[in-house]
């Protein structure tokens, strides 16, 4: 934390990240492309709360406001639904205390509903509450107070939880599910599994479990003898390899050519730092992230190493954006090893950064004029369909039809020319054309598929976009780039 004195008032700055980019601008040897990558990744991190379906809290913020705005007299079922949704959103974000509070409130609503809420939701509510407590126990014992034997199934004596309160609460709620759920249901099987694991965290499996719910110990036994690898990261001290983060990549390679394997790790957290640990040649590691010039290179679910330029130094490729669908077109990073203990992001200089679409541009509304084609020869068009073009590579330009039934889906985007897929309903039939719009404004179309009926409409926002009837333009939410 830093502070600024302003007229006798001290302003505390907590979590301020802009100096990451500013300080990099004054660092020796930093290239314009490296700075461009830092700015792009900072923008992605800023956009994450609103666009990332896993790390973003937009849904939780909306549901919190909805809960606060529930008027007196709201039906129990409506209150139960919104609290269950908010509990799930908080649980996904790792806000475990908040999730437990919402599920507890939902459970209380079920208790007083007197049949207003459909049968079966009581078990679902108890299951989610048990799951939230289960997650809390994991966090307290597998992350906060981790040991080399933490949370490795089957749990041995040294893996038994030290903080057991949350596990005991989870057991109570899973037991309620088991008592009130048909044994052949998927929910019953889920609860039974977690019920057994919860007892295992207390050191009471299988002896403490009711016999009818015990999963036989043989289920947890390996059919093969596999050597046990001891986790020594926690023994190396803070600042060494004892990291706690989201899923990410890891590389073990000799980045400084001293004959010892160094370690680079990443995280899919949009604000998570790419980190470099140098091998001290004595069984320990020292973090050299800042000295290596990697500060500000954020995110990355996967890492790949190779000497791409054949200079004898191992370089790094950082892969980003997986699982995020239309919001995942993040730039990857090609990080060059300079051979002097430092690294430089050369993604844009190497031409690998030109294909990604910045999130702000992708989300901002864009209006583009396009021509139309029938995709099917011999099919009559309405008079407003101008011009009549078969989907066989013919080039044409013209206004859009007025038919509101037309839909467009985007498959690819590039700077020039750009292309996509257009689907049309004509005389009750469907056809799809691949279109290529050239910089001159002309369009080349190629037939793709014909279908006797509309495909089921997708709920994903990147699947379908509608024409504005009679406007002569195609309005999307930013999947097309203007020339």
């Amino acid at each position: 934390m830093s502070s600024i004195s302003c007229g006798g008032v001290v302003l505390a700055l907590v979590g301020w990240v802009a100096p990451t980019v500013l300080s990099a601008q004054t660092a020796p040897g930093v290239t314009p492309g490296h700075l461009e990558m830092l700015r792009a990744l900072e923008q992605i991190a800023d956009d994450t709360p609103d666009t990332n379906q896993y790390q973003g809290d937009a849904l939780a913020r909306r549901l919190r406001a909805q809960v606060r705005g529930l008027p007196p007299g709201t039906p129990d079922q409506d209150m139960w639904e919104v609290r269950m949704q908010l509990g799930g959103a908080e649980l996904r974000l790792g806000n475990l205390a908040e999730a437990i509070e919402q599920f507890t409130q939902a459970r209380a609503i079920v208790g007083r509903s007197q049949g207003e809420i459909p049968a079966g939701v009581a078990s679902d509510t108890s299951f989610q509450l048990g799951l939230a407590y289960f997650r809390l126990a994991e966090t307290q014992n597998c992350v906060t107070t981790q040991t080399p034997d933490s949370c490795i199934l089957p749990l041995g004596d040294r893996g038994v939880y030290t903080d057991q309160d949350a596990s005991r609460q989870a057991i109570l709620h899973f037991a309620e599910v088991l008592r009130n759920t048909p044994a052949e249901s998927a929910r019953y099987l889920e609860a039974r599994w977690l019920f057994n694991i919860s007892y295992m965290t207390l050191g009471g499996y299988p002896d403490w479990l009711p016999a009818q719910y015990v999963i036989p110990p043989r289920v947890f036994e390996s059919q093969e003898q596999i050597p046990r690898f001891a986790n020594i990261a926690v023994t190396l001290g803070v600042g060494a390899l004892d990291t706690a983060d989201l899923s990410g990549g890891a590389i073990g390679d000799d980045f400084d050519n001293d004959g010892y394997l160094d370690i680079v790790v990443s995280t899919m957290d949009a604000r998570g730092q790419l980190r470099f640990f140098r091998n001290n040649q004595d069984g320990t590691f020292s973090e050299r992230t800042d000295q290596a010039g990697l500060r500000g290179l954020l995110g990355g679910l996967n890492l790949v190493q190779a000497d791409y330029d054949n200079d004898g130094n191992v370089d790094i490729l950082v892969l980003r954006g997986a699982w995020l669908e239309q919001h995942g077109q993040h730039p990857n990073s090609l990080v060059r090893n300079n051979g002097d203990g430092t690294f430089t992001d050369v993604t844009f200089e190497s031409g690998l950064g030109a294909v990604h679409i910045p999130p702000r541009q992708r989300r901002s509304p864009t209006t583009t004029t396009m021509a139309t084609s029938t995709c099917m020869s011999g099919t009559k068009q309405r008079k407003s369909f101008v011009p009549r073009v078969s989907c066989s590579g013919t080039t044409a330009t013209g206004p859009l039809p007025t038919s509101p039934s037309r839909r467009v889906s985007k498959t690819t985007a590039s700077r020039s020319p750009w292309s996509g897929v257009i689907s049309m309903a004509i005389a009750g039939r469907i056809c799809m054309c691949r279109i290529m719009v050239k910089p001159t404004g002309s369009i080349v179309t190629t037939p793709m598929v014909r279908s006797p009926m509309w495909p089921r409409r997708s709920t994903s926002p990147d699947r379908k976009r509608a024409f504005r009837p009679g406007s002569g333009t195609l309005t999307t939410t930013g999947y097309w780039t203007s020339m």
Side-chain angles (χ1 to χ4, degrees):
M1 181 177 72
S2 60
S3 62
I4 301 175
S5 179
C6 181
V9 178
V10 177
L11 306 177
L13 305 179
V14 182
W16 178 244
V17 294
T20 298
V21 177
L22 295 177
S23 61
Q25 292 176 338
T26 60
V30 176
T31 65
H34 188 104
L35 290 175
E36 185 177 356
M37 179 61 70
L38 297 185
R39 287 189 289 266
L41 296 178
E42 191 66 33
Q43 176 183 311
I44 290 171
D46 290 342
D47 291 343
T48 289
D50 296 323
T51 62
N52 191 306
Q53 60 182 309
Y54 303 107
Q55 302 171 41
D57 65 346
L59 175 61
R61 283 185 273 123
R62 179 177 62 79
L63 290 170
R64 289 169 195 152
Q66 190 172 346
V67 167
R68 289 193 299 268
L70 287 175
T74 300
D76 282 346
Q77 183 168 351
D78 293 344
M79 288 194 294
W80 175 84
E81 288 178 355
V82 69
R83 289 201 179 273
M84 287 292 290
Q85 291 177 33
L86 178 54
E90 300 286 14
L91 185 62
R92 177 179 55 81
L93 293 172
N95 299 331
L96 302 178
E98 292 81 357
I100 289 172
E101 171 63 21
Q102 294 304 320
F103 290 139
T104 300
Q105 293 285 348
R107 189 170 182 268
I109 293 171
V110 172
R112 68 169 187 261
S113 66
Q114 298 180 348
E116 180 180 339
I117 295 178
V121 301
S123 292
D124 289 338
T125 307
S126 295
F127 180 84
Q128 294 300 329
L129 186 53
L131 184 61
Y133 275 113
F134 187 90
R135 283 277 308 277
L136 177 60
E138 281 187 312
T139 300
Q140 292 172 337
N141 294 274
C142 299
V143 179
T144 307
T145 58
Q146 184 189 30
T147 71
D149 296 290
S150 292
C151 299
I152 299 176
L153 292 179
L155 294 178
D157 292 339
R158 292 186 297 179
V160 172
Y161 287 179
T162 56
D163 190 340
Q164 299 184 351
D165 290 344
S167 283
R168 295 182 184 277
Q169 288 294 323
I171 286 172
L172 295 176
H173 297 294
F174 292 143
E176 183 177 345
V177 176
L178 293 172
R179 288 193 300 268
N180 297 287
T181 305
E184 66 275 9
S185 67
R187 179 65 80 209
Y188 180 93
L189 296 177
E190 293 170 336
R192 185 181 176 192
W193 172 262
L194 295 175
F195 191 61
N196 280 255
I197 301 300
S198 297
Y199 268 108
M200 199 178 289
T201 68
L202 304 180
Y205 169 86
D207 298 335
W208 298 357
L209 277 84
Q212 68 270 32
Y213 301 138
V214 173
I215 295 176
R218 67 176 182 274
V219 173
F220 298 97
E221 296 174 359
S222 175
Q223 297 180 358
E224 303 292 338
Q225 293 298 317
I226 302 175
R228 186 70 173 266
F229 290 84
N231 179 12
I232 65 170
V234 296
T235 68
L236 299 181
V238 177
L241 293 177
D242 188 17
T243 62
D245 221 315
L246 301 181
S247 298
I251 296 173
D253 213 319
D254 185 4
F255 288 98
D256 54 4
N257 293 322
D258 64 355
Y260 289 82
L261 296 181
D262 310 298
I263 295 177
V264 174
V265 296
S266 67
T267 168
M268 67 181 297
D269 185 349
R271 289 204 178 276
Q273 174 64 51
L274 183 69
R275 302 175 70 177
F276 172 55
F277 298 91
R278 186 176 184 272
N279 193 321
N280 297 327
Q281 305 181 16
D282 61 0
T284 65
F285 293 81
S286 297
E287 183 165 8
R288 305 283 294 177
T289 300
D290 290 331
Q291 296 89 333
L294 296 174
R295 181 61 59 186
L297 293 181
L298 310 175
L301 180 59
N302 300 105
L303 297 175
V304 182
Q305 82 273 29
D307 181 7
Y308 84 95
D309 53 1
N310 292 324
D311 63 354
N313 300 309
V314 179
D315 311 296
I316 304 169
L317 179 65
V318 184
L319 304 176
R320 303 185 179 93
W323 309 107
L324 300 180
E325 298 180 349
Q326 74 269 24
H327 297 298
Q329 298 186 49
H330 299 173
N332 296 325
S333 278
L334 178 61
V335 185
R336 184 184 64 208
N337 188 335
N338 298 323
D340 58 1
T342 66
F343 296 81
T344 301
D345 192 301
V346 295
T347 308
F348 292 102
E349 289 90 343
S350 65
L352 295 178
V355 296
H356 101 281
I357 304 175
R360 291 191 192 281
Q361 178 181 342
R362 203 168 61 246
R363 294 201 331 268
S364 61
T366 304
T367 300
T368 305
T369 300
M370 301 183 70
T372 64
S373 65
T374 66
C375 289
M376 291 184 289
S377 59
T379 301
K380 273 197 167 184
Q381 303 179 76
R382 293 172 56 181
K383 293 182 179 180
S384 57
F385 288 12
V386 186
R388 183 178 188 276
V389 180
S390 65
C391 196
S392 58
T394 305
T395 300
T397 58
L400 289 178
T402 59
S403 171
S405 65
R406 300 195 168 212
R407 298 289 185 267
V408 64
S409 64
K410 180 69 178 63
T411 56
T412 58
S414 58
R415 293 186 181 275
S416 177
W418 47 263
S419 63
V421 174
I422 186 171
S423 57
M424 299 180 221
I426 301 176
R429 301 188 67 192
I430 294 300
C431 72
M432 296 183 68
C433 289
R434 184 175 301 280
I435 61 173
M436 178 69 71
V437 182
K438 296 185 175 180
T440 59
S442 62
I443 296 177
V444 176
T445 59
T446 307
M448 291 179 60
V449 66
R450 297 179 183 180
S451 169
M453 64 186 66
W454 275 104
R456 182 177 180 180
R457 180 176 297 182
S458 171
T459 58
S460 177
D462 64 325
R463 298 294 185 187
K464 303 291 180 186
R465 297 297 176 199
F467 284 113
R468 292 174 56 192
S471 65
T473 60
L474 168 67
T475 301
T476 78
T477 56
Y479 297 99
W480 302 94
T481 53
S482 301
M483 293 295 102

